[in-house]
């Protein structure tokens, strides 16, 4: 059974296939509107979400399928003490595919090991978020025409930002990628990712606290929110939350074809004045996320012999 737990579960060729399918869906949506007729997606969300859950739901509806699930742990049997493994076995009797978000790192992997249907990791704690990466990849592909020879800046909470971890993993497989890591000292990228991904794959990277100094180098600027819910104390959060606020003046030395991405939700880190700038891609990114989830659902259901 194929699942999507980590973005590296898919080869570069498979990611390209998903991008091609998503582009085809964008061009010819009517071709896809009944592809999942009679199929059910279960959205098991043990942690808050707006975009990811609704994006999965919209994706399944636009494929002609149906959706069931819950959006908080309190309304599921987890509140009675049911294990993730048991929940996965139970849901396998009701649905054709599962999208799971969980505050514990590794929970979707446990679900995958116990389910008899495909499981998609829709975010596990501060670890990974591979379907946000699918949205990010389609955005980069449509903006830049490919992934090679790009300098990508990641700014904000690189420690707890799971979308950053998954996107760095994904980009590490393309030729000529350079990574610039911009964060406060306390929110630096975890050293296991620097070691296992960046150094392992010989990807040149730079760590800095100074966004403006590196701005002229960047082809992509990936802004992130400081992840309040993963902090141990509120004081640290309050001290760090406004470390970076992207305002129009900070873009003065940026490339004219810079692409600004953000997985959203935005708190303070991008001023709304930037929304008018043609380099702002974060709302397109939301839309692309839905198309990539459609492509992903189709791929996993086909491979499971359910389509
Ligand atoms: C991200 C997440 O959940 O990790 N949101 C999302 O899915 N688009 C980013 C975030 O919450 O900051």
């Amino acid at each position: 059974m194929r699942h999507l737990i980590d973005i590296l579960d898919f080869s570069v060729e498979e990611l390209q296939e998903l991008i091609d399918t998503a582009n085809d869906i964008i061009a010819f949506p009517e071709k896809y509107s009944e592809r999942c007729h009679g199929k059910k997606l279960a959205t098991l969300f043990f942690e808050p979400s707006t975009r990811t859950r609704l994006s999965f739901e919209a994706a399944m509806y636009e494929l002609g399928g149906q959706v069931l699930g819950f959006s908080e742990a309190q309304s599921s049997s987890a509140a009675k003490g049911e294990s993730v493994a048991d929940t996965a076995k139970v849901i396998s009797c009701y649905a054709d595919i599962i999208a799971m978000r969980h505050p514990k790192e590794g929970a979707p992997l446990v679900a995958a090991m116990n389910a008899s249907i495909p499981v998609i990791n829709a975010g596990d704690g501060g670890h990974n978020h591979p379907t946000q990466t699918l949205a990010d990849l389609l955005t980069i592909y449509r903006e830049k025409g490919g992934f090679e020879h790009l300098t990508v800046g990641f700014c904000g909470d690189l420690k707890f930002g799971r979308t950053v971890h998954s996107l760095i993993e994904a980009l590490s497989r393309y030729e000529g990628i350079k990574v610039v890591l911009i964060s406060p000292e306390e929110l630096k990228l975890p050293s296991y990712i620097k070691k296992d991904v960046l150094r392992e794959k010989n990807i040149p990277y730079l760590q800095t606290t100074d966004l403006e100094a590196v701005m002229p180098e960047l082809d992509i600027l990936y802004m992130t929110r400081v992840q309040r819910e993963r902090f141990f104390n509120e004081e640290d959060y309050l001290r760090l939350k406004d470390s970076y606020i992207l305002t129009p003046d900070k873009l003065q030395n940026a490339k004219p074809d810079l692409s600004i991405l953000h997985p959203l939700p935005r708190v303070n880190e991008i001023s709304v004045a930037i929304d008018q700038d043609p380099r702002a891609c974060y709302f397109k990114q939301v839309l692309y996320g839905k198309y990539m989830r459609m492509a992903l659902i189709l791929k996993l259901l086909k491979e499971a012999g359910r389509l």
Side-chain angles (χ1 to χ4, degrees):
M1 181 70 59
R2 285 305 288 286
H3 307 280
L4 176 59
I5 303 302
D6 186 301
I7 195 69
L8 299 180
D9 292 343
F10 286 173
S11 67
V12 165
E13 292 71 29
E14 287 180 303
L15 291 179
Q16 190 57 47
E17 244 175 67
L18 291 177
I19 289 170
D20 294 344
T21 306
N23 279 327
D24 198 58
I25 297 171
I26 293 171
F28 309 105
E30 62 292 343
K31 244 171 64 183
Y32 294 86
S33 64
E34 287 301 322
R35 290 275 171 99
C36 286
H37 181 79
K39 303 296 163 199
K40 283 170 280 174
L41 163 77
T43 52
L44 313 183
F45 276 64
F46 295 88
E47 200 187 66
S49 161
T50 311
R51 236 156 322 274
T52 307
R53 185 170 59 84
L54 297 187
S55 170
F56 267 113
E57 296 192 1
M60 195 54 169
Y61 286 127
E62 289 188 28
L63 291 166
Q66 286 166 311
V67 179
L68 66 169
F70 52 83
S71 54
E72 48 182 328
Q74 279 318 311
S75 60
S76 79
S77 281
K80 300 182 190 167
E82 186 171 60
S83 68
V84 166
D86 283 3
T87 303
K89 286 183 186 146
V90 169
I91 303 300
S92 297
C93 304
Y94 302 146
D96 298 281
I97 185 165
I98 291 173
M100 175 184 279
R101 169 168 290 190
H102 204 287
K104 282 213 182 103
E105 285 82 1
L109 176 63
V110 172
M113 288 160 65
N114 288 278
S116 52
I117 58 177
V119 175
I120 300 168
N121 177 4
D124 61 329
H127 189 214
N128 279 329
H129 193 347
T131 67
Q132 180 61 45
T133 302
L134 297 180
D136 304 340
L137 290 176
L138 182 60
T139 309
I140 295 172
Y141 188 82
R142 288 179 69 102
E143 293 298 313
K144 299 286 178 221
F147 303 106
E148 300 190 337
H149 304 290
L150 294 174
T151 299
V152 186
F154 292 90
C155 178
D157 187 346
L158 310 188
K159 179 177 183 191
F160 297 116
R162 56 194 174 190
T163 65
V164 170
H165 306 163
S166 293
L167 183 54
I168 288 179
E169 274 195 332
L171 291 175
S172 73
R173 297 185 292 183
Y174 299 95
E175 195 73 27
I177 288 285
K178 288 190 195 147
V179 168
V180 183
L181 304 167
I182 308 135
S183 74
E185 204 49 39
E186 294 95 325
L187 297 177
K188 283 190 350 205
L189 190 74
S191 46
Y192 80 90
I193 302 177
K194 278 181 262 180
K195 176 169 167 287
D196 300 347
V197 184
L198 296 174
R199 275 186 236 128
E200 176 73 27
K201 306 247 175 77
N202 280 323
I203 298 177
Y205 72 92
L206 168 82
Q207 291 194 98
T208 177
T209 53
D210 190 347
L211 173 60
E212 279 166 278
V214 295
M215 189 67 91
E217 319 286 319
L218 306 179
D219 299 302
I220 309 277
L221 172 58
Y222 195 93
M223 293 295 296
T224 61
R225 147 185 96 86
V226 175
Q227 305 276 302
R228 179 181 208 159
E229 65 277 33
R230 316 238 182 263
F231 275 70
F232 293 110
N233 70 68
E234 184 73 3
E235 247 168 63
D236 285 349
Y237 169 72
L238 293 174
R239 185 166 51 79
L240 293 167
K241 74 182 176 66
D242 292 328
S243 301
Y244 299 96
I245 301 179
L246 189 64
T247 46
D249 55 301
K250 300 211 173 105
L251 287 175
Q252 260 169 17
N253 295 322
K255 289 189 178 172
D257 63 347
L258 170 75
S259 301
I260 305 166
L261 277 66
H262 189 308
L264 304 183
R266 154 174 66 185
V267 184
N268 251 346
E269 56 283 347
I270 302 183
S271 128
V272 291
I274 305 271
D275 298 1
Q276 319 307 325
D277 191 304
R279 292 170 287 191
C281 296
Y282 30 92
F283 291 112
K284 285 189 229 173
Q285 204 178 340
V286 175
L287 186 61
Y288 294 155
K290 181 184 70 180
Y291 295 121
M292 283 301 263
R293 291 184 174 100
M294 290 171 79
L296 173 67
I297 291 168
L298 287 171
K299 175 179 172 66
L300 290 177
L301 285 178
K302 258 187 222 142
E303 292 200 18
R306 287 179 176 259
L307 271 192

